[in-house]
Amino acid sequence: MRIAVLGGTGDEGLGLAMRFADAGHEIVIGSRSRERAEAAAEQVRAAATGAKASSAENAAAALTADIVFVSVPYAAQRPTLEPLKATLAGKVVVTVVVPLSFGKGGPQAETVPEGSAALEAQAILCSSRVASAFHNLSAHELQRLDQPVDCDVIVCGVDRETRQTVIDLAASIPGVRGIDGGPLSYSRYVEDLTALLLALNRRYKTETGIRITGLPVPIPA
Amino acid sequence: MRIAVLGGTGDEGLGLAMRFADAGHEIVIGSRSRERAEAAAEQVRAAATGAKASSAENAAAALTADIVFVSVPYAAQRPTLEPLKATLAGKVVVTVVVPLSFGKGGPQAETVPEGSAALEAQAILCSSRVASAFHNLSAHELQRLDQPVDCDVIVCGVDRETRQTVIDLAASIPGVRGIDGGPLSYSRYVEDLTALLLALNRRYKTETGIRITGLPVPIPA
């Protein structure tokens, strides 16, 4: 599978790119800057033995990919996606975006007019198959390829088939379980939870994640 | 410790009352109806060997307790708390309330003008020490006293001392870890998460809970 990671130069996008490359997928790092994209692709190739990782500007990266990840700050999601509407039509687009603010009281989730970053992405990309996942994974844990990641990935998405594609991809990261979180209207709970986890990280000086308890083993598809 | 559970006739409140009675605390079940309160207290005494559980109308239950739990439907939180403002002054009040709606698309978190049920409770009870916790525990698991509960309890509250009191209480339930979730502004993430867990319960036909991964062991106070 050929996976583009738009915003793949950021910590979280880079970590996801490394893990997917490590799982044998072909990666294209996308960025507004061709140079920064290539520097990140070089980091992916250095981290994962035999990694197939190239780089491109966002539009070119999106064009050739089967699945497109969006891992940019919230404020950049709309400007990144709007020009790619036609390019992304029919593709699975996974937004990792969390609307956050960092004020005096600590990290907090920001209100999004559409209800969540995922619903905003779907409103922009009405012809794409939008999913939302991977918000709660620590970027640093993702980049430590020698260790499994102790976190579940709750996947929301427009339809069951789209969610299952992303659930399978999540499960390709050692330690991670992909869980069907339902339609995109449920994404805000998963996005918002990130603010709580970041606050816990500060309080307990660690990198937190979440597990859902009580699920059947194995989790039925 | 003498604990009142207002709305202790509901499934969740009853489960909490059983667990706290089982941990050796003295329980007063509060309800609008003296008869229903007594029936629930009888269930607590039947479930937990040696349980000290009595019953009273809400106001009387609140009056004599050291800690007061509020476990009522969201619509009943304000009418329950407003008349008790003076009675609850200076006490630790723990709201378990989750603002939920159950529409065609499944359970969803409702928007609260104050930002969350916990912030609403604090706005009403400005002289109480309000905390918010226990939203994500399955009522059925709570009531099965022969089994530990596989869930963390994230505790938000007005100050550190109040949170620590509730964290210690949470940890008195076998299997449960109490985690410091910070000020009440963080409660909405924990409250809202309940909607996602209820949706997962339906999808996977189970009772889900959450664990926070990556915390130090033991969790520092």
Side-chain angles (χ1 to χ4, degrees):
Chain A
M1 193 129 60
R2 191 170 159 92
I3 300 173
V5 184
L6 312 187
T9 57
D11 273 347
E12 187 81 10
L14 181 61
L16 287 171
M18 286 176 176
R19 290 287 179 170
F20 295 141
D22 198 45
H25 299 293
E26 196 182 335
I27 302 296
V28 193
I29 300 280
S31 171
R32 282 176 304 175
S33 146
R34 186 74 172 76
E35 290 69 34
R36 292 179 54 223
E38 181 48 31
E42 176 54 39
Q43 282 186 272
V44 173
R45 291 190 298 265
T49 317
K52 292 185 286 262
S54 60
S55 61
E57 284 184 42
N58 282 330
L63 191 65
T64 59
D66 304 304
I67 297 192
V68 178
F69 277 71
V70 186
S71 181
V72 297
Y74 170 66
Q77 178 172 269
R78 181 177 289 280
T80 302
L81 293 184
E82 269 177 348
L84 300 179
K85 197 172 157 164
T87 307
L88 294 172
K91 290 186 198 274
V92 172
V93 178
V94 186
T95 171
V96 183
V97 171
V98 178
L100 285 175
S101 65
F102 294 87
K104 227 185 77 183
Q108 293 283 0
E110 286 288 279
T111 304
V112 174
E114 290 81 357
S116 66
L119 289 170
E120 181 190 279
Q122 181 63 75
I124 299 167
L125 305 175
C126 44
S127 303
S128 299
R129 296 162 56 198
V130 173
S132 142
F134 300 96
H135 312 87
N136 304 324
L137 297 181
S138 144
H140 296 119
E141 279 200 61
L142 280 172
Q143 293 182 24
R144 272 182 234 126
L145 293 192
D146 56 332
Q147 286 174 27
V149 177
D150 190 5
C151 194
D152 286 339
V153 167
I154 298 163
V155 179
C156 299
V158 284
D159 57 44
R160 213 163 184 295
E161 190 194 344
T162 302
R163 294 196 293 271
Q164 194 57 50
T165 301
V166 181
I167 286 169
D168 293 343
L169 206 49
S172 75
I173 301 176
V176 169
R177 301 188 305 177
I179 295 172
D180 186 346
L184 290 175
S185 60
Y186 281 89
S187 179
R188 67 183 169 113
Y189 309 124
V190 191
E191 296 174 26
D192 289 2
L193 186 61
T194 311
L196 176 69
L197 295 178
L198 291 177
L200 291 176
N201 289 355
R202 288 188 184 185
R203 183 165 307 111
Y204 290 110
K205 298 180 182 33
T206 183
E207 309 262 343
T208 55
I210 59 151
R211 291 287 191 191
I212 303 295
T213 61
L215 290 172
V217 180
I219 299 173
Chain B
M1 191 130 56
R2 190 169 159 92
I3 300 173
V5 184
L6 312 188
T9 57
D11 273 347
E12 188 80 10
L14 183 60
L16 287 171
M18 287 176 175
R19 290 287 181 171
F20 294 142
D22 199 45
H25 298 294
E26 196 182 335
I27 302 296
V28 194
I29 299 280
S31 171
R32 282 175 304 173
S33 148
R34 186 73 172 74
E35 290 70 34
R36 293 179 54 222
E38 181 48 31
E42 176 53 39
Q43 282 187 271
V44 173
R45 290 191 297 266
T49 317
K52 292 185 285 261
S54 59
S55 62
E57 284 184 43
N58 282 330
L63 192 65
T64 60
D66 304 304
I67 297 192
V68 178
F69 277 72
V70 187
S71 180
V72 296
Y74 170 64
Q77 177 172 270
R78 182 177 288 278
T80 301
L81 293 184
E82 269 177 349
L84 299 179
K85 196 172 157 163
T87 307
L88 295 173
K91 289 186 199 277
V92 171
V93 178
V94 186
T95 173
V96 184
V97 171
V98 178
L100 285 174
S101 65
F102 294 87
K104 228 185 74 184
Q108 292 284 0
E110 286 288 279
T111 303
V112 174
E114 289 81 357
S116 67
L119 288 171
E120 182 191 277
Q122 182 62 75
I124 299 168
L125 305 174
C126 44
S127 304
S128 299
R129 296 161 58 199
V130 173
S132 142
F134 300 96
H135 313 86
N136 305 324
L137 296 180
S138 145
H140 297 119
E141 278 200 62
L142 280 172
Q143 293 182 24
R144 272 182 233 127
L145 294 192
D146 57 332
Q147 287 174 26
V149 177
D150 191 5
C151 194
D152 286 339
V153 166
I154 298 163
V155 179
C156 300
V158 283
D159 56 44
R160 215 163 182 295
E161 190 193 345
T162 302
R163 295 196 293 270
Q164 194 59 49
T165 301
V166 182
I167 287 169
D168 293 343
L169 207 48
S172 74
I173 301 177
V176 169
R177 299 188 305 177
I179 294 171
D180 186 347
L184 290 174
S185 60
Y186 282 89
S187 180
R188 66 183 171 112
Y189 310 124
V190 191
E191 295 175 26
D192 290 2
L193 186 62
T194 311
L196 176 69
L197 295 178
L198 291 176
L200 291 176
N201 289 354
R202 289 188 183 184
R203 183 167 305 111
Y204 290 110
K205 298 180 182 31
T206 184
E207 309 262 344
T208 56
I210 59 150
R211 289 289 190 191
I212 303 295
T213 60
L215 291 172
V217 180
I219 300 173

